[in-house]
Amino acid sequence: MNEATPPTTGRTSTSLDVAALLEALAERDAKLAERDAKLVASEAKLAASQTELATIHSEQTALQSEHTRLWKAYQQLKEELALMKRRIFVATAERVDTTALQLEFTELVAKLDKLAGILPDESGEDASTGDSDTAAKKKRKKTKPKGRRNLADADLPVVRLEIPDELFEQLVAEGKAEPIGFEESSKLAYERGGFRRLVTARVTYRATNAQGVVELETAAVPKELLKRCLAAPSLLAHVATNKFCDGLPLYRQQDILARAGAPVDRGTMSRWMEQLGATFGATIIEAARKDALDNAFCIMTDATGFSIQPGRFEDGKHKKRRPCRKGHYFVQIADRDHVFFEFTDRHTTKNVRAMFRGFDGYIQADASSVYDALFRPAKPDDPDDDGCIRTEVGCWSHVRRKYWEAALAKQSVAREALLRIGKIFELDAGFRKGNPPSKVKKLRQTHLRPLVDEFLGFARAEFDAVKDQRGSLRSALGYTTRQEDALKAFLDDGRLRLDNNLSEGELRKVVRIRDAALFAGSDDHAESAGHILSMIASARMHDLDPERYLTEVIRVLPYWPRDRYLELAPKYWAQTRARLDAEQLAAPLGVIDVPERIGVTLTAGSDPAE
């Protein structure tokens, strides 16, 4: 019997399945490896893309930042251009629509009124001061027009012109009518005066002396301020007033003199003015300046530039003309008593310290750095230390001007600052109207100090927010924060002013001459011009006619004692003139009898007649 053999197909099938499985696994591993490689490559590309994207984003951020910076710079340039156009083509007055500001900041106005203690009474007037005449909130009423000016009130020579009627004159002659009066009206007329030839006729005498000899003797030549000068005192005063008071250059006066039949070269007139100014400077101006430095309470000062023509210099065989250089005029107003125009070659601290040497008191000026040395404590062994203590008084008009410029750039903070400053000016104007300095100080301490402190705190806070930005607002706020102590100084004395506008107004005299004459011939000419300007400005401050004052002073000065020149200063001239002989003073030349000394501080100087 045959045994059956075991089957072999099962084992073979299992081997084939394992092999297929391994092959499939290997294929899958290969695909996984390929996919992993692709994944790694994709991740690398993704990383590269992310890096590139980050770079692009960084560049975009930088571009956006640069765009923002350029846009701000563009806006800043637009603001500066608009301000420059306004300065050139538009009136320079800092006009502010206060009504619009009050509507824009209604709550702030109420807050400031409450802070200052301004409480209106039932009649609507300010009851805080107890005097309705000094009410700061009281609006100025517009004056009604009064019609045509009454010329009868003017102190002018009268020329009367009677106009008859021919028909009625005939009736009067026939006895049928009679004149019973006139119907009068006035017009303002002008008659050309012109120049005169002043003949000085000195009497010559013939006399016989004790020895029987006949001698001839002529009366002495009257003393004159400028020896052997063609011009009489009246012409010297006329030329000086035309040039330094009315801004009429010498070349135009030369034409006027020529048309009048009295030709005088402008070079000659220039020498007259230089000698006249130098004489005033060594006598009256020197005495008045010493009086101001010794006795003034506060001196206001400011400066402006002026071109100086230097002399020729040798270059081989030829003389070449050099370009003009810049000097400066400083104006000083001492207690509304004296005005001085001081010429300096440079706008420097050294020159400023020399001008104020020996002065102890308040100085009101702008924030120019040349004045800082006047208020700093002196260093040990400082040769320029004069031992005087000077207190800086700031100018609120300068502060307001900077905010006004920022407001032109539509800065809301600047408009708010203008409202705050306007409230301070409004209240102070009311306080100073008719009140003595002691009461003004009390009112300022009560009502203005809270407003000033509030404004300065507001400026500090706003400056911290914009101190890293460029623009007119940062400039205004920075100016305010740096000048805090100086801006609060006016609160300490009722005689001090809020602003330095008086000195700026006086500097317009220099600007008028600068615009007309363009430059001065030398430093000596500029210094002499400053002395004549000082005489004229001081005369106008004391309501004196500048031409008449200069004429009379030129007449009197050669005879005046050298230790009494202060009596001839405009501040004291009315008292001095009242004590002079009127007939002697009215004469164009001749002796002047000097009266007794009056009780004023005196200063020695050089004798102009020597």
Side-chain angles (χ1 to χ4, degrees), residues 43 50 74 86 129 151 181 233 242 307 342 582 597 600:
E43 290 178 349
Q50 290 177 343
Y74 169 71
R86 188 177 185 92
T129 64
L151 294 178
N242 282 343
S307 296
E342 182 77 14
R597 184 190 301 269
V600 297

Side-chain angles (χ1 to χ4, degrees), residues 193-435:
F195 301 92
R196 302 290 186 267
R197 181 167 64 95
L198 178 62
V199 178
T200 304
R202 295 182 292 129
V203 180
T204 300
Y205 299 92
R206 182 176 61 187
T208 304
N209 60 20
Q211 288 76 26
V213 178
V214 176
E215 294 181 348
L216 299 179
E217 188 70 29
T218 303
V221 178
K223 288 185 179 181
E224 295 184 80
L225 193 63
L226 305 185
K227 296 293 184 64
R228 302 181 61 82
C229 180
L230 179 66
S234 56
L235 180 59
L236 290 174
H238 182 71
V239 173
T241 305
N242 282 343
K243 178 175 174 59
F244 297 104
C245 184
D246 301 328
L248 192 64
L250 294 181
Y251 72 88
R252 294 181 185 171
Q253 297 193 54
Q254 176 181 326
D255 292 341
I256 295 173
L257 282 162
R259 292 197 302 270
V264 178
D265 182 73
R266 60 181 174 179
T268 301
M269 289 188 284
S270 179
R271 287 190 292 273
W272 292 348
M273 295 300 101
E274 181 182 5
Q275 296 173 17
L276 185 64
T279 304
F280 285 155
T283 55
I284 301 175
I285 298 299
E286 181 182 354
R289 186 180 298 280
K290 186 177 187 305
D291 177 59
L293 294 177
D294 291 343
N295 304 310
F297 165 74
C298 176
I299 296 181
M300 300 179 179
T301 185
D302 206 344
T304 189
F306 202 94
S307 296
I308 306 298
Q309 183 185 41
R312 296 174 181 268
F313 68 100
E314 295 289 346
D315 182 20
K317 297 182 180 180
H318 305 284
K319 293 183 177 180
K320 290 187 177 180
R321 189 179 297 279
R322 293 177 288 175
C324 288
R325 54 183 175 82
K326 189 176 182 180
H328 282 82
Y329 273 108
F330 284 86
V331 64
Q332 297 171 298
I333 304 178
D335 288 352
R336 304 283 291 168
D337 291 334
H338 307 287
V339 181
F340 306 105
F341 290 88
E342 182 77 14
F343 174 78
T344 61
D345 56 346
R346 295 179 182 275
H347 189 253
T348 61
T349 297
K350 179 180 179 181
N351 288 332
V352 169
R353 295 184 70 171
M355 281 189 294
F356 287 93
R357 182 180 300 279
F359 175 68
D360 198 330
Y362 289 94
I363 296 178
Q364 188 164 30
D366 58 23
S368 176
S369 59
V370 297
Y371 302 112
D372 293 344
L374 297 175
F375 314 113
R376 287 195 298 260
K379 298 179 180 179
D381 301 328
D382 185 356
D384 295 328
D385 179 28
D386 55 3
C388 297
I389 299 176
R390 292 170 280 263
T391 304
E392 181 180 10
V393 182
C395 176
W396 281 85
S397 286
H398 279 81
V399 177
R400 181 176 57 187
R401 184 175 306 141
K402 292 183 177 296
Y403 285 107
W404 178 77
E405 293 180 352
L408 294 178
K410 305 188 184 305
Q411 297 281 356
S412 177
V413 174
R415 294 197 299 273
E416 181 177 346
L418 287 176
L419 178 65
R420 293 174 178 270
I421 296 173
K423 178 63 67 174
I424 295 173
F425 270 94
E426 179 185 357
L427 293 177
D428 189 69
F431 297 157
R432 289 191 295 109
K433 185 178 180 181
N435 287 323

Side-chain angles (χ1 to χ4, degrees), residues 569-610:
K571 178 182 178 181
Y572 304 106
W573 177 245
Q575 304 173 38
T576 304
R577 190 180 189 278
R579 299 165 58 249
L580 294 171
D581 187 293
E583 293 185 1
Q584 290 182 345
L585 192 60
L589 284 175
V591 177
I592 296 291
D593 294 332
V594 179
E596 295 296 327
R597 184 190 301 269
I598 61 175
V600 297
T601 305
L602 303 176
T603 303
S606 59
D607 189 347
E610 292 181 351

Side-chain angles (χ1 to χ4, degrees), residues 33-103:
E34 183 180 357
R35 187 175 62 183
D36 291 341
K38 291 181 179 180
L39 183 60
V40 171
S42 299
E43 290 178 349
K45 290 182 179 180
L46 179 61
S49 298
Q50 290 177 343
T51 302
E52 184 178 359
L53 182 61
T55 303
I56 294 174
H57 180 71
S58 176
E59 292 176 353
Q60 184 180 9
T61 302
L63 288 174
Q64 289 178 345
S65 177
E66 181 67 12
H67 177 269
T68 302
R69 186 188 67 81
L70 292 175
W71 176 255
K72 290 181 178 179
Y74 169 71
Q75 294 295 331
Q76 178 65 25
L77 289 175
K78 283 183 62 178
E79 295 174 7
E80 293 176 358
L81 179 61
L83 180 60
M84 188 65 66
K85 287 182 177 179
R86 188 177 185 92
R87 288 174 176 171
I88 296 175
F89 301 110
V90 185
T92 57
E94 300 165 19
R95 296 185 176 90
V96 179
D97 189 352
T98 56
T99 303
L101 287 179
Q102 290 179 355
L103 291 176

Side-chain angles (χ1 to χ4, degrees), residues 181-202:
F182 296 91
E183 183 177 331
E184 298 181 352
S185 62
S186 298
K187 293 181 181 294
L188 190 63
Y190 173 77
E191 291 184 0
R192 184 173 181 178
F195 301 92
R196 302 290 186 267
R197 181 167 64 95
L198 178 62
V199 178
T200 304
R202 295 182 292 129

